[in-house]
Amino acid sequence: MRKLLPILLATLLVSGCGLLYRQPIFQGNMLEKTAVDQLQAGMDRQQVMVLLGTPSIRDPFHHDRWDYVASQRIGRTGAPVVKTMTLWFENGQLARWEGEYFPEQDSDLAKNAIRYFGPNLAKDKDKKRGR
């Protein structure tokens, strides 16, 4: 018990000082900078969806607006940072876009996800089918 007490005390002191690593928590759409850079006015909805994926929010009252929302929070008590990229369509074609996303964090997360979790799920399914 005497040996365990200093270890517990040291652990409490270190955790209270914020020296422990606090993993960032990302939620929402993962937009890669290379995909956003490929957006061009005049693209149809399907082309945009292939580049960026399904939008987080499709407003039922504004069919020509797509919102891609992402948030980042560090630790359990940190305030979240929310960024939104909004796209507007006119006559079914991309007219304009504006907003922010997490380009550096998203590309780093994508690289780390492949390293830690392997190739994407679609490729894994093809391997299981014997293709």
Side-chain angles (χ1 to χ4, degrees):
M1 185 68 176
R2 288 185 135 182
K3 293 179 182 178
L4 187 59
L5 187 61
I7 294 172
L8 276 168
L9 186 59
T11 303
L12 285 173
L13 289 174
V14 170
S15 65
C17 296
L19 296 176
L20 294 178
Y21 174 72
R22 301 208 191 290
Q23 181 174 354
I25 300 166
F26 291 93
Q27 292 182 323
N29 289 94
M30 300 285 292
L31 300 179
E32 293 185 17
K33 183 175 177 7
T34 56
V36 174
D37 290 343
Q38 292 179 39
L39 286 176
Q40 296 177 2
M43 294 177 109
D44 64 22
R45 295 173 196 263
Q46 184 65 31
Q47 291 172 315
V48 172
M49 199 174 293
V50 167
L51 275 177
L52 303 181
T54 305
S56 305
I57 301 170
R58 282 196 212 172
D59 189 346
F61 300 107
H62 302 97
H63 297 285
D64 293 330
R65 176 181 168 161
W66 287 2
D67 292 299
Y68 291 86
V69 181
S71 67
Q72 173 188 13
R73 186 180 74 190
I74 298 178
R76 284 190 277 166
T77 59
V81 176
V82 178
K83 295 188 179 186
T84 303
M85 164 91 57
T86 304
L87 285 69
W88 287 272
F89 294 89
E90 292 177 4
N91 300 323
Q93 296 186 337
L94 183 62
R96 62 187 170 97
W97 60 95
E98 65 181 39
E100 296 181 305
Y101 61 104
F102 298 99
E104 294 81 22
Q105 292 95 330
D106 289 346
S107 63
D108 291 343
L109 281 173
K111 289 176 191 173
N112 288 334
I114 291 171
R115 185 175 65 201
Y116 290 121
F117 303 113
N120 66 29
L121 188 57
K123 289 182 182 177
D124 286 345
K125 285 181 181 178
D126 288 343
K127 288 179 185 175
K128 288 178 185 173
R129 291 183 189 149
R131 291 182 188 174

